[in-house]
């Protein structure tokens, strides 16, 4: 048991971080405006500062689909390039200058997006902004762009390019998320640098979520994202085409519609690949779904527990089972060899200074393989922001610090400094040797021992190897180095599935029935 005041007893060690992970690459103000290549579009994911407390691996796990999704709707006579400044290959290209630059803008990298936009526009390039921050703060974004895309880029991008060609570009374009998601083309993954990501297969099967938590970006004023699903076979075809052993579903909540997830699992099962996804813990209401996920290749889930306090969850309007039942539900996922990456938000109004030690204890007791922490952050235009502002608790509007690693509001029962200290402590605690060891898989038979070395390898590679990750990212080695490990995990998982299917043919389909299966050791983490 961790002492409740432990986070505040010792100073928290400063973590190593190279300057190129905290500072964006320089843009030369003296660079002349050389020739613009007509019908050349450059799409940019801007730089954001990394948090030394977390694993650098998370930034190259899988790419955002923001750019590749609408890139797929580019007319054939346009050339498209992709540039992610977070891959440490320097600033985006400028020789030749593109005719148009499309930038995805989130609040944490809005400032960098403006710098890039101003630089390209000063040289005659047209700049288009889209993404979450454009939707929540359009007036702030407008002075830096030639046009804003508010909403679904797949519908807007071809319209924008057509108007650009006709010299009739409008300052704002808007589209809803009401359309049939099955009509969208598959994301254009061919423009991605394949070596740079653990897997290039970021898949998205659904849009929206059945919840509308007050702190979530989905509750942004004016954003309506009804739950929409792609046809399971479309998802499977994309997975096959990208030719990777492992995919990460970037859906907000793949478990919102259980009938759909069952259908998706049925389509995924025959292809013998592995995947992970974000779901809410209520997927465990249906134990047969957990079994189906395992049989379809699910190796890990990212679960937004958010808090271990029912009062906090009620305040956030999150519909979720009682927190006292979380442990049983985690066990059900583990029983089917599914790793759990728990996501926790710190600093809610019922959190006191003991929240850090209590949360760490719970995670260790329940052997969550991974955990991700976020300081509560009132994103602009969400109900949480409106509430905090009305109460005079928003400390500033420096969006770069709205990265869930900084306290940007006045917490109720601690100071902002204490909240940041507790946040740094809990990451360091979970990345410590003691905590990694405490969370090793349960050993009930000697065969279970097999999972421990792989669990340790996974934990150390993801959690205590930031220098190694830096080298891999810098030298474009992420995929070449990881792919054999991922392939090994896939192979082991295919064997595990056979075992589960054979065993369950003779037992009743309950989570308890699964306990005799030997959990497959994995080197692929359910998150980093
Ligand atoms: C993949 C992902 C990541 C990846 C990659 C991030 C990256 N920028 O490279 C990793 C794991 C590294 C990551 C890290 C973080 N992330 Co993240 N991440 C996501 C996730 C799961 C998927 C993003 C995605 O691909 N969406 C699908 C695409 C298709 O949707 P979209 O981005 O909205 O794009 C559409 C439109 O907006 C539009 N569009 C977008 N850009 C443009 C540009 C143009 C020119 C046009 C025309 C249109 C257009 O067209 C697209 C198609 O319709 C989202 C949640 C989600 N499901 O969206 C969170 C999310 C974006 N992340 C979030 C956060 C908070 C973070 C972190 C800060 C968390 C942390 N503390 O570590 C970090 C740091 C990153 C940062 N500073 O931004 C929040 C952002 C909240 C906000 N209001 O800004 C989100 C929404 C999660 C959440 N539920 O809160 N993340
Ligand atoms: S359950 Fe998750 S994705 Fe859904 S609204 Fe809440 S925080 Fe957002």
């Amino acid at each position: 048991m961790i002492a409740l005041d432990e986070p505040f007893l010792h100073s928290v060690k400063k973590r190593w971080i190279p300057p190129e992970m905290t500072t964006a690459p320089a843009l030369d103000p003296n660079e002349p405006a050389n020739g613009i290549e007509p019908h050349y579009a450059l799409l940019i994911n801007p730089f954001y500062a990394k948090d030394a407390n977390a694993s650098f691996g998370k930034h190259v796990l899988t790419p955002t689909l923001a750019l590749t999704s609408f890139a797929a709707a580019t007319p054939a006579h346009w050339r498209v390039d992709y540039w992610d400044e977070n891959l440490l290959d320097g600033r985006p290209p400028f020789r030749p200058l593109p005719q148009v630059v499309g930038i995805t803008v989130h609040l944490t990298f809005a400032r960098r997006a403006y710098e890039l936009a101003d630089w390209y526009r000063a040289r005659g390039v047209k700049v288009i902004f889209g993404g979450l921050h454009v939707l929540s703060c359009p007036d702030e974004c407008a002075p830096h762009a030639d046009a804003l895309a508010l909403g679904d880029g797949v519908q807007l991008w071809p319209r924008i390019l057509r108007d650009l060609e006709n010299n009739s570009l409008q300052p704002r374009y808007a589209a809803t998320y009401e359309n049939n998601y099955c009509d969208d083309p598959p994301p254009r993954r061919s423009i991605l640098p394949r070596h740079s990501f653990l897997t290039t297969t970021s898949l998205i099967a659904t849009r929206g979520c059945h919840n509308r938590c007050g702190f979530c970006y989905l509750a942004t004023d004016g954003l309506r994202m009804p739950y929409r699903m792609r046809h399971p076979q479309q998802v499977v075809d994309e997975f096959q085409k990208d030719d990777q052993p492992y995919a990460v579903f970037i859906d907000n909540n793949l478990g919102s519609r259980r009938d759909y997830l069952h259908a998706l699992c049925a389509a995924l099962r025959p292809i013998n690949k592995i995947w992970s996804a974000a779901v809410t813990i209520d997927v465990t209401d249906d134990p047969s779904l957990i079994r189906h996920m395992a049989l379809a290749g699910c190796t890990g889930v990212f679960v937004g527990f958010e808090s271990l306090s029912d009062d906090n969850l009620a305040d956030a309007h999150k519909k979720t089972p009682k927190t006292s039942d979380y442990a049983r539900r985690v066990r059900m996922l583990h029983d089917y060899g599914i790793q759990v990456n728990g996501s926790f938000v710190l600093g809610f109004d019922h959190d006191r200074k003991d929240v850090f030690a209590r949360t760490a204890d719970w995670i260790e007791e329940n052997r969550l393989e991974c955990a991700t922490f976020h300081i509560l952050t009132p994103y602009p235009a969400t109900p949480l922001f409106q509430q905090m502002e009305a109460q005079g608790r928003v400390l500033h509007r420096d969006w770069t610090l709205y990265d869930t690693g900084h306290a940007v509001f006045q917490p109720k029962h601690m100071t902002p400094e204490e909240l940041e200290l507790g946040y740094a402590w809990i990451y360091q605690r979970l990345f410590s040797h003691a905590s990694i060891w405490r969370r090793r898989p349960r050993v009930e038979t000697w065969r279970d021992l097999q999972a421990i070395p792989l669990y340790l390898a996974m934990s150390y590679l993801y959690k205590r190897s930031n220098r190694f990750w830096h080298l891999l990212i810098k030298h474009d080695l992420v995929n070449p180095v990881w792919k054999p490990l991922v392939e090994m995990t896939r192979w082991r998982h295919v064997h595990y599935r056979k075992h589960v299917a054979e065993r369950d043919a003779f037992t009743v389909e309950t989570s308890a029935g699964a306990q005799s299966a030997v959990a497959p050791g994995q080197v692929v983490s359910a998150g980093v």
Side-chain angles (χ1 to χ4, degrees), residues 256-297:
S256 255
R257 279 265 308 263
R258 282 178 219 141
D259 56 342
Y260 175 77
L261 186 48
H262 268 297
L264 183 64
C265 288
L268 287 166
R269 189 171 166 178
I271 66 170
N272 282 339
K273 300 213 181 207
I274 52 173
W275 50 274
S276 58
V279 293
T280 36
I281 193 65
D282 52 10
V283 283
T284 50
D285 285 352
D286 176 0
S288 75
L289 180 55
I290 307 307
R291 172 177 178 269
H292 210 174
M293 287 163 69
L295 290 173

Side-chain angles (χ1 to χ4, degrees), residues 60 195-198 469 472-473 476-483:
V60 285
H195 279 188
S196 304
F197 296 98
L198 194 141
W469 277 108
L472 294 185
I473 298 169
D476 291 341
L477 287 170
V478 174
N479 194 274
V481 167
W482 276 97
K483 203 164 176 184

Side-chain angles (χ1 to χ4, degrees), residues 7 12-15 51 53-54 346 356 373 375 405 417-431:
V12 178
K13 214 173 88 193
K14 260 205 163 318
R15 293 263 163 188
D51 181 350
N53 290 305
L346 302 163
F356 311 103
F373 303 99
I375 291 180
E417 294 74 24
E418 284 167 337
L419 181 52
E420 289 187 4
L421 206 64
Y423 166 83
W425 174 85
I426 197 166
Y427 255 123
Q428 299 206 3
R429 167 77 204 182
L430 268 287
F431 282 24

Side-chain angles (χ1 to χ4, degrees), residues 310-379:
D310 292 322
D311 293 333
N312 282 336
L313 293 168
D315 282 2
H317 306 292
K318 180 152 183 154
K319 295 184 225 100
T320 182
K322 287 274 172 230
T323 53
S324 54
D325 198 29
Y326 279 1
R328 181 186 69 85
R329 291 167 181 269
V330 166
R331 182 74 193 241
M332 197 186 292
L333 290 157
H334 281 164
D335 285 345
Y336 275 105
I338 297 177
Q339 297 190 359
V340 180
N341 178 9
S343 171
F344 296 87
V345 178
L346 302 163
F348 281 117
D349 279 358
H350 296 279
D351 287 344
R352 294 172 187 273
K353 281 164 67 178
D354 59 4
V355 66
F356 311 103
R358 284 188 197 283
T359 308
D361 242 339
W362 188 89
I363 292 168
E364 291 178 6
E365 222 173 273
N366 291 290
R367 300 181 185 233
L368 266 56
E369 291 81 356
C370 284
T372 311
F373 303 99
H374 304 277
I375 291 180
L376 181 68
T377 301
Y379 296 138

Side-chain angles (χ1 to χ4, degrees), residues 209 211-213 215-216 218 252 280 306 318:
C209 174
N211 267 312
R212 199 176 163 90
C213 306
F215 58 83
C216 181
L218 286 176
N252 295 299
T280 36
E306 327 301 5
K318 180 152 183 154

